[in-house]
Amino acid sequence: MSADPLNRAGTPQRRTTAQPPSGSQSDAIEVRRSARRRRTVSAYREGDRTVVLIPARMSEAEERRWVNVMLAKLAAQESRKRLGDAELAERAERLSAQYLEGRARPASVRWVTNQNTRWGSCTPAEGSIRLSHRLQGMPEYVVDYVLLHELAHLLVPGHGPRFWRLLEAYPRTERARGYLEGVVAADRLPHLPGARGE
């Protein structure tokens, strides 16, 4: 039995890979058809591609129309979620006030593109916090968790019990950690043949 939740019960599905319209943020679009899906259409980003889930009965013309609709919807959602450095600094100030009694005061908070093996980093001596650009577009509670994690390092450099006690006040710590662990695990999975035009 396949590990793909859409194929749990042997549901027939067709996978196609297409190039996105120009200006799209992903390298490929994968359309997955499912006989179990009756009316709904959904989409999400998966690495460097966009996955669009549609009912199996849709025509090719409906498929093209829905792919365009879902790409536009994802782009709108992502543009709303993307924070600039200034908004990130404001968010850090709010999180510090809410969860750390305002004691963590970073000198700088910014996005960086050179952190591919960690979600964030902090240099307590400089008061600087850097978040990986890979967090952009992830749920807000995940970004808040990583930012709060780095803010806590301004107060406690290591990962001892005192550090983790600081994060206990944030109600979504475990959920955010689980989300990030899932992202890391998904990146390690082998890609199925045909899923990326192989």
Side-chain angles (χ1 to χ4, degrees):
M1 192 176 282
S2 173
D4 185 346
L6 293 175
N7 203 17
R8 273 191 296 256
T11 306
Q13 60 178 255
R14 185 186 67 157
R15 295 177 186 222
T16 59
T17 303
Q19 291 304 316
S22 62
S24 175
Q25 291 183 323
S26 62
D27 293 337
I29 300 164
E30 179 181 330
V31 177
R32 295 183 188 171
R33 291 177 172 260
S34 171
R36 293 176 69 185
R37 187 174 284 269
R38 297 285 179 223
R39 291 182 293 223
T40 60
V41 176
S42 61
Y44 59 92
R45 305 281 191 209
E46 187 176 81
D48 61 354
R49 64 187 163 156
T50 302
V51 177
V52 181
L53 308 170
I54 65 172
R57 63 171 176 72
M58 276 193 179
S59 69
E60 295 295 321
E62 287 176 306
E63 176 183 314
R64 283 190 301 276
R65 184 177 76 79
W66 275 107
V67 165
N68 288 330
V69 166
M70 298 312 289
L71 285 173
K73 193 173 186 177
L74 281 174
Q77 288 172 350
E78 290 167 350
S79 69
R80 283 193 303 270
K81 290 180 183 177
R82 291 240 161 94
L83 303 170
D85 290 349
E87 292 89 359
L88 204 56
E90 289 171 16
R91 183 172 237 153
E93 187 177 330
R94 180 182 54 80
L95 289 168
S96 177
Q98 188 173 359
Y99 297 106
L100 302 172
E101 301 170 349
R103 294 180 296 139
R105 295 187 187 102
S108 69
V109 182
R110 62 190 172 93
W111 295 106
V112 294
T113 57
N114 63 350
Q115 288 190 122
N116 294 315
T117 58
R118 48 170 63 173
W119 299 113
S121 61
C122 173
T123 307
E126 296 172 4
S128 63
I129 291 175
R130 294 157 307 280
L131 295 190
S132 172
H133 72 287
R134 296 178 305 139
L135 290 165
Q136 292 176 324
M138 288 190 186
E140 287 184 12
Y141 73 91
V142 175
V143 176
D144 282 353
Y145 165 73
V146 175
L147 190 49
L148 190 59
H149 183 107
E150 300 309 328
L151 285 165
H153 278 309
L154 292 176
L155 305 174
V156 180
H159 287 105
R162 194 167 146 240
F163 172 83
W164 292 111
R165 274 195 300 276
L166 290 174
L167 292 179
E168 285 175 358
Y170 185 61
R172 293 183 160 188
T173 292
E174 290 307 314
R175 184 175 179 195
R177 290 182 69 179
Y179 183 99
L180 293 170
E181 287 170 5
V183 170
V184 169
D187 284 346
R188 292 182 184 147
L189 291 175
H191 294 285
L192 298 173
R196 294 181 136 183
E198 284 129 4

PDB file of all heavy atoms in Angstrom, residues 28-52:
ATOM      1  N   ALA A  28       7.896  23.530 -11.104  1.00  0.00           N
ATOM      2  CA  ALA A  28       7.006  22.583 -11.766  1.00  0.00           C
ATOM      3  C   ALA A  28       5.660  22.562 -11.068  1.00  0.00           C
ATOM      4  O   ALA A  28       5.546  22.929  -9.907  1.00  0.00           O
ATOM      5  CB  ALA A  28       7.626  21.191 -11.751  1.00  0.00           C
ATOM      6  N   ILE A  29       4.660  22.117 -11.815  1.00  0.00           N
ATOM      7  CA  ILE A  29       3.320  21.943 -11.258  1.00  0.00           C
ATOM      8  C   ILE A  29       2.975  20.473 -11.408  1.00  0.00           C
ATOM      9  O   ILE A  29       3.093  19.909 -12.490  1.00  0.00           O
ATOM     10  CB  ILE A  29       2.286  22.794 -12.017  1.00  0.00           C
ATOM     11  CG1 ILE A  29       2.648  24.268 -11.917  1.00  0.00           C
ATOM     12  CG2 ILE A  29       0.888  22.547 -11.466  1.00  0.00           C
ATOM     13  CD1 ILE A  29       1.940  25.124 -12.921  1.00  0.00           C
ATOM     14  N   GLU A  30       2.567  19.867 -10.329  1.00  0.00           N
ATOM     15  CA  GLU A  30       2.146  18.474 -10.362  1.00  0.00           C
ATOM     16  C   GLU A  30       0.659  18.431 -10.070  1.00  0.00           C
ATOM     17  O   GLU A  30       0.206  18.929  -9.046  1.00  0.00           O
ATOM     18  CB  GLU A  30       2.898  17.656  -9.313  1.00  0.00           C
ATOM     19  CG  GLU A  30       2.490  16.204  -9.285  1.00  0.00           C
ATOM     20  CD  GLU A  30       3.234  15.414  -8.233  1.00  0.00           C
ATOM     21  OE1 GLU A  30       4.384  15.767  -7.932  1.00  0.00           O
ATOM     22  OE2 GLU A  30       2.635  14.465  -7.714  1.00  0.00           O
ATOM     23  N   VAL A  31      -0.111  17.878 -10.985  1.00  0.00           N
ATOM     24  CA  VAL A  31      -1.552  17.743 -10.812  1.00  0.00           C
ATOM     25  C   VAL A  31      -1.833  16.310 -10.406  1.00  0.00           C
ATOM     26  O   VAL A  31      -1.422  15.370 -11.090  1.00  0.00           O
ATOM     27  CB  VAL A  31      -2.310  18.102 -12.108  1.00  0.00           C
ATOM     28  CG1 VAL A  31      -3.809  17.874 -11.927  1.00  0.00           C
ATOM     29  CG2 VAL A  31      -2.019  19.537 -12.513  1.00  0.00           C
ATOM     30  N   ARG A  32      -2.534  16.162  -9.291  1.00  0.00           N
ATOM     31  CA  ARG A  32      -2.908  14.828  -8.820  1.00  0.00           C
ATOM     32  C   ARG A  32      -4.427  14.710  -8.887  1.00  0.00           C
ATOM     33  O   ARG A  32      -5.139  15.494  -8.278  1.00  0.00           O
ATOM     34  CB  ARG A  32      -2.439  14.607  -7.383  1.00  0.00           C
ATOM     35  CG  ARG A  32      -0.937  14.594  -7.246  1.00  0.00           C
ATOM     36  CD  ARG A  32      -0.525  14.302  -5.821  1.00  0.00           C
ATOM     37  NE  ARG A  32       0.903  14.485  -5.657  1.00  0.00           N
ATOM     38  CZ  ARG A  32       1.515  14.461  -4.487  1.00  0.00           C
ATOM     39  NH1 ARG A  32       0.817  14.261  -3.380  1.00  0.00           N
ATOM     40  NH2 ARG A  32       2.821  14.632  -4.416  1.00  0.00           N
ATOM     41  N   ARG A  33      -4.907  13.725  -9.627  1.00  0.00           N
ATOM     42  CA  ARG A  33      -6.349  13.479  -9.754  1.00  0.00           C
ATOM     43  C   ARG A  33      -6.730  12.341  -8.809  1.00  0.00           C
ATOM     44  O   ARG A  33      -6.001  11.361  -8.696  1.00  0.00           O
ATOM     45  CB  ARG A  33      -6.693  13.094 -11.184  1.00  0.00           C
ATOM     46  CG  ARG A  33      -6.524  14.233 -12.157  1.00  0.00           C
ATOM     47  CD  ARG A  33      -6.796  13.780 -13.578  1.00  0.00           C
ATOM     48  NE  ARG A  33      -6.811  14.913 -14.460  1.00  0.00           N
ATOM     49  CZ  ARG A  33      -7.919  15.502 -14.891  1.00  0.00           C
ATOM     50  NH1 ARG A  33      -9.088  15.050 -14.516  1.00  0.00           N
ATOM     51  NH2 ARG A  33      -7.843  16.540 -15.694  1.00  0.00           N
ATOM     52  N   SER A  34      -7.890  12.497  -8.195  1.00  0.00           N
ATOM     53  CA  SER A  34      -8.354  11.470  -7.269  1.00  0.00           C
ATOM     54  C   SER A  34      -9.841  11.212  -7.476  1.00  0.00           C
ATOM     55  O   SER A  34     -10.639  12.153  -7.537  1.00  0.00           O
ATOM     56  CB  SER A  34      -8.113  11.922  -5.828  1.00  0.00           C
ATOM     57  OG  SER A  34      -8.753  11.036  -4.923  1.00  0.00           O
ATOM     58  N   ALA A  35     -10.221   9.942  -7.576  1.00  0.00           N
ATOM     59  CA  ALA A  35     -11.629   9.571  -7.711  1.00  0.00           C
ATOM     60  C   ALA A  35     -12.380   9.830  -6.404  1.00  0.00           C
ATOM     61  O   ALA A  35     -13.591  10.032  -6.402  1.00  0.00           O
ATOM     62  CB  ALA A  35     -11.753   8.100  -8.106  1.00  0.00           C
ATOM     63  N   ARG A  36     -11.675   9.855  -5.312  1.00  0.00           N
ATOM     64  CA  ARG A  36     -12.303  10.107  -4.007  1.00  0.00           C
ATOM     65  C   ARG A  36     -12.645  11.575  -3.824  1.00  0.00           C
ATOM     66  O   ARG A  36     -13.537  11.920  -3.065  1.00  0.00           O
ATOM     67  CB  ARG A  36     -11.373   9.649  -2.889  1.00  0.00           C
ATOM     68  CG  ARG A  36     -11.198   8.142  -2.876  1.00  0.00           C
ATOM     69  CD  ARG A  36     -10.214   7.713  -1.844  1.00  0.00           C
ATOM     70  NE  ARG A  36     -10.769   7.942  -0.510  1.00  0.00           N
ATOM     71  CZ  ARG A  36     -10.106   7.751   0.602  1.00  0.00           C
ATOM     72  NH1 ARG A  36      -8.859   7.336   0.554  1.00  0.00           N
ATOM     73  NH2 ARG A  36     -10.650   7.963   1.759  1.00  0.00           N
ATOM     74  N   ARG A  37     -11.944  12.443  -4.510  1.00  0.00           N
ATOM     75  CA  ARG A  37     -12.194  13.882  -4.420  1.00  0.00           C
ATOM     76  C   ARG A  37     -13.360  14.196  -5.353  1.00  0.00           C
ATOM     77  O   ARG A  37     -13.288  13.945  -6.541  1.00  0.00           O
ATOM     78  CB  ARG A  37     -10.916  14.630  -4.828  1.00  0.00           C
ATOM     79  CG  ARG A  37     -10.961  16.115  -4.632  1.00  0.00           C
ATOM     80  CD  ARG A  37      -9.602  16.713  -4.937  1.00  0.00           C
ATOM     81  NE  ARG A  37      -8.663  16.482  -3.867  1.00  0.00           N
ATOM     82  CZ  ARG A  37      -8.477  17.307  -2.847  1.00  0.00           C
ATOM     83  NH1 ARG A  37      -9.146  18.422  -2.781  1.00  0.00           N
ATOM     84  NH2 ARG A  37      -7.610  17.029  -1.909  1.00  0.00           N
ATOM     85  N   ARG A  38     -14.423  14.760  -4.826  1.00  0.00           N
ATOM     86  CA  ARG A  38     -15.629  15.003  -5.617  1.00  0.00           C
ATOM     87  C   ARG A  38     -15.694  16.412  -6.202  1.00  0.00           C
ATOM     88  O   ARG A  38     -15.927  16.584  -7.385  1.00  0.00           O
ATOM     89  CB  ARG A  38     -16.887  14.762  -4.764  1.00  0.00           C
ATOM     90  CG  ARG A  38     -16.999  13.341  -4.293  1.00  0.00           C
ATOM     91  CD  ARG A  38     -17.419  12.445  -5.426  1.00  0.00           C
ATOM     92  NE  ARG A  38     -17.498  11.069  -4.960  1.00  0.00           N
ATOM     93  CZ  ARG A  38     -17.057  10.042  -5.633  1.00  0.00           C
ATOM     94  NH1 ARG A  38     -16.488  10.206  -6.781  1.00  0.00           N
ATOM     95  NH2 ARG A  38     -17.179   8.832  -5.144  1.00  0.00           N
ATOM     96  N   ARG A  39     -15.553  17.444  -5.364  1.00  0.00           N
ATOM     97  CA  ARG A  39     -15.731  18.810  -5.836  1.00  0.00           C
ATOM     98  C   ARG A  39     -14.572  19.724  -5.497  1.00  0.00           C
ATOM     99  O   ARG A  39     -14.367  20.726  -6.159  1.00  0.00           O
ATOM    100  CB  ARG A  39     -16.992  19.414  -5.221  1.00  0.00           C
ATOM    101  CG  ARG A  39     -18.268  18.787  -5.734  1.00  0.00           C
ATOM    102  CD  ARG A  39     -19.438  19.465  -5.117  1.00  0.00           C
ATOM    103  NE  ARG A  39     -19.481  19.189  -3.687  1.00  0.00           N
ATOM    104  CZ  ARG A  39     -20.552  18.886  -3.009  1.00  0.00           C
ATOM    105  NH1 ARG A  39     -21.700  18.837  -3.607  1.00  0.00           N
ATOM    106  NH2 ARG A  39     -20.495  18.651  -1.725  1.00  0.00           N
ATOM    107  N   THR A  40     -13.865  19.439  -4.436  1.00  0.00           N
ATOM    108  CA  THR A  40     -12.871  20.390  -3.951  1.00  0.00           C
ATOM    109  C   THR A  40     -11.568  20.324  -4.731  1.00  0.00           C
ATOM    110  O   THR A  40     -11.174  19.278  -5.246  1.00  0.00           O
ATOM    111  CB  THR A  40     -12.563  20.152  -2.460  1.00  0.00           C
ATOM    112  OG1 THR A  40     -12.050  18.822  -2.312  1.00  0.00           O
ATOM    113  CG2 THR A  40     -13.805  20.335  -1.611  1.00  0.00           C
ATOM    114  N   VAL A  41     -10.935  21.466  -4.784  1.00  0.00           N
ATOM    115  CA  VAL A  41      -9.611  21.601  -5.386  1.00  0.00           C
ATOM    116  C   VAL A  41      -8.734  22.256  -4.337  1.00  0.00           C
ATOM    117  O   VAL A  41      -9.157  23.194  -3.659  1.00  0.00           O
ATOM    118  CB  VAL A  41      -9.658  22.475  -6.664  1.00  0.00           C
ATOM    119  CG1 VAL A  41      -8.263  22.692  -7.222  1.00  0.00           C
ATOM    120  CG2 VAL A  41     -10.566  21.838  -7.716  1.00  0.00           C
ATOM    121  N   SER A  42      -7.528  21.757  -4.155  1.00  0.00           N
ATOM    122  CA  SER A  42      -6.599  22.383  -3.222  1.00  0.00           C
ATOM    123  C   SER A  42      -5.196  22.347  -3.808  1.00  0.00           C
ATOM    124  O   SER A  42      -4.934  21.635  -4.785  1.00  0.00           O
ATOM    125  CB  SER A  42      -6.635  21.692  -1.857  1.00  0.00           C
ATOM    126  OG  SER A  42      -6.248  20.340  -1.970  1.00  0.00           O
ATOM    127  N   ALA A  43      -4.311  23.140  -3.212  1.00  0.00           N
ATOM    128  CA  ALA A  43      -2.935  23.211  -3.706  1.00  0.00           C
ATOM    129  C   ALA A  43      -2.003  23.570  -2.569  1.00  0.00           C
ATOM    130  O   ALA A  43      -2.406  24.200  -1.592  1.00  0.00           O
ATOM    131  CB  ALA A  43      -2.826  24.241  -4.825  1.00  0.00           C
ATOM    132  N   TYR A  44      -0.749  23.150  -2.700  1.00  0.00           N
ATOM    133  CA  TYR A  44       0.276  23.495  -1.727  1.00  0.00           C
ATOM    134  C   TYR A  44       1.635  23.430  -2.399  1.00  0.00           C
ATOM    135  O   TYR A  44       1.813  22.840  -3.461  1.00  0.00           O
ATOM    136  CB  TYR A  44       0.220  22.566  -0.503  1.00  0.00           C
ATOM    137  CG  TYR A  44       0.411  21.094  -0.819  1.00  0.00           C
ATOM    138  CD1 TYR A  44       1.678  20.512  -0.789  1.00  0.00           C
ATOM    139  CD2 TYR A  44      -0.672  20.289  -1.144  1.00  0.00           C
ATOM    140  CE1 TYR A  44       1.852  19.170  -1.083  1.00  0.00           C
ATOM    141  CE2 TYR A  44      -0.509  18.940  -1.433  1.00  0.00           C
ATOM    142  CZ  TYR A  44       0.752  18.392  -1.395  1.00  0.00           C
ATOM    143  OH  TYR A  44       0.933  17.064  -1.683  1.00  0.00           O
ATOM    144  N   ARG A  45       2.606  24.081  -1.765  1.00  0.00           N
ATOM    145  CA  ARG A  45       3.983  24.049  -2.251  1.00  0.00           C
ATOM    146  C   ARG A  45       4.683  22.858  -1.615  1.00  0.00           C
ATOM    147  O   ARG A  45       4.519  22.582  -0.429  1.00  0.00           O
ATOM    148  CB  ARG A  45       4.734  25.328  -1.867  1.00  0.00           C
ATOM    149  CG  ARG A  45       4.076  26.600  -2.316  1.00  0.00           C
ATOM    150  CD  ARG A  45       4.330  26.898  -3.764  1.00  0.00           C
ATOM    151  NE  ARG A  45       3.895  28.248  -4.054  1.00  0.00           N
ATOM    152  CZ  ARG A  45       3.458  28.663  -5.215  1.00  0.00           C
ATOM    153  NH1 ARG A  45       3.410  27.833  -6.226  1.00  0.00           N
ATOM    154  NH2 ARG A  45       3.087  29.899  -5.393  1.00  0.00           N
ATOM    155  N   GLU A  46       5.483  22.175  -2.420  1.00  0.00           N
ATOM    156  CA  GLU A  46       6.273  21.040  -1.933  1.00  0.00           C
ATOM    157  C   GLU A  46       7.656  21.163  -2.543  1.00  0.00           C
ATOM    158  O   GLU A  46       7.869  20.779  -3.690  1.00  0.00           O
ATOM    159  CB  GLU A  46       5.595  19.734  -2.342  1.00  0.00           C
ATOM    160  CG  GLU A  46       6.240  18.488  -1.758  1.00  0.00           C
ATOM    161  CD  GLU A  46       5.458  17.243  -2.141  1.00  0.00           C
ATOM    162  OE1 GLU A  46       5.661  16.744  -3.283  1.00  0.00           O
ATOM    163  OE2 GLU A  46       4.658  16.779  -1.327  1.00  0.00           O
ATOM    164  N   GLY A  47       8.565  21.747  -1.789  1.00  0.00           N
ATOM    165  CA  GLY A  47       9.909  21.975  -2.318  1.00  0.00           C
ATOM    166  C   GLY A  47       9.857  22.958  -3.470  1.00  0.00           C
ATOM    167  O   GLY A  47       9.334  24.051  -3.344  1.00  0.00           O
ATOM    168  N   ASP A  48      10.376  22.544  -4.634  1.00  0.00           N
ATOM    169  CA  ASP A  48      10.432  23.439  -5.786  1.00  0.00           C
ATOM    170  C   ASP A  48       9.263  23.232  -6.741  1.00  0.00           C
ATOM    171  O   ASP A  48       9.320  23.615  -7.899  1.00  0.00           O
ATOM    172  CB  ASP A  48      11.754  23.271  -6.535  1.00  0.00           C
ATOM    173  CG  ASP A  48      11.943  21.856  -7.070  1.00  0.00           C
ATOM    174  OD1 ASP A  48      11.109  20.985  -6.769  1.00  0.00           O
ATOM    175  OD2 ASP A  48      12.936  21.629  -7.781  1.00  0.00           O
ATOM    176  N   ARG A  49       8.181  22.630  -6.275  1.00  0.00           N
ATOM    177  CA  ARG A  49       7.025  22.417  -7.136  1.00  0.00           C
ATOM    178  C   ARG A  49       5.738  22.766  -6.393  1.00  0.00           C
ATOM    179  O   ARG A  49       5.702  22.860  -5.177  1.00  0.00           O
ATOM    180  CB  ARG A  49       6.975  20.993  -7.639  1.00  0.00           C
ATOM    181  CG  ARG A  49       6.787  19.988  -6.540  1.00  0.00           C
ATOM    182  CD  ARG A  49       6.901  18.579  -7.056  1.00  0.00           C
ATOM    183  NE  ARG A  49       7.103  17.706  -5.909  1.00  0.00           N
ATOM    184  CZ  ARG A  49       6.802  16.440  -5.903  1.00  0.00           C
ATOM    185  NH1 ARG A  49       6.311  15.886  -6.961  1.00  0.00           N
ATOM    186  NH2 ARG A  49       7.006  15.720  -4.835  1.00  0.00           N
ATOM    187  N   THR A  50       4.683  22.930  -7.159  1.00  0.00           N
ATOM    188  CA  THR A  50       3.347  23.164  -6.629  1.00  0.00           C
ATOM    189  C   THR A  50       2.516  21.935  -6.936  1.00  0.00           C
ATOM    190  O   THR A  50       2.506  21.468  -8.076  1.00  0.00           O
ATOM    191  CB  THR A  50       2.707  24.403  -7.287  1.00  0.00           C
ATOM    192  OG1 THR A  50       3.547  25.525  -7.041  1.00  0.00           O
ATOM    193  CG2 THR A  50       1.326  24.667  -6.725  1.00  0.00           C
ATOM    194  N   VAL A  51       1.837  21.403  -5.925  1.00  0.00           N
ATOM    195  CA  VAL A  51       0.973  20.242  -6.093  1.00  0.00           C
ATOM    196  C   VAL A  51      -0.472  20.736  -6.071  1.00  0.00           C
ATOM    197  O   VAL A  51      -0.881  21.429  -5.141  1.00  0.00           O
ATOM    198  CB  VAL A  51       1.202  19.197  -4.987  1.00  0.00           C
ATOM    199  CG1 VAL A  51       0.246  18.017  -5.143  1.00  0.00           C
ATOM    200  CG2 VAL A  51       2.655  18.726  -4.995  1.00  0.00           C
ATOM    201  N   VAL A  52      -1.231  20.399  -7.114  1.00  0.00           N
ATOM    202  CA  VAL A  52      -2.640  20.766  -7.204  1.00  0.00           C
ATOM    203  C   VAL A  52      -3.450  19.475  -7.177  1.00  0.00           C
ATOM    204  O   VAL A  52      -3.215  18.571  -7.982  1.00  0.00           O
ATOM    205  CB  VAL A  52      -2.944  21.569  -8.497  1.00  0.00           C
ATOM    206  CG1 VAL A  52      -4.418  21.954  -8.557  1.00  0.00           C
ATOM    207  CG2 VAL A  52      -2.058  22.804  -8.582  1.00  0.00           C
TER     208      VAL A  52
END
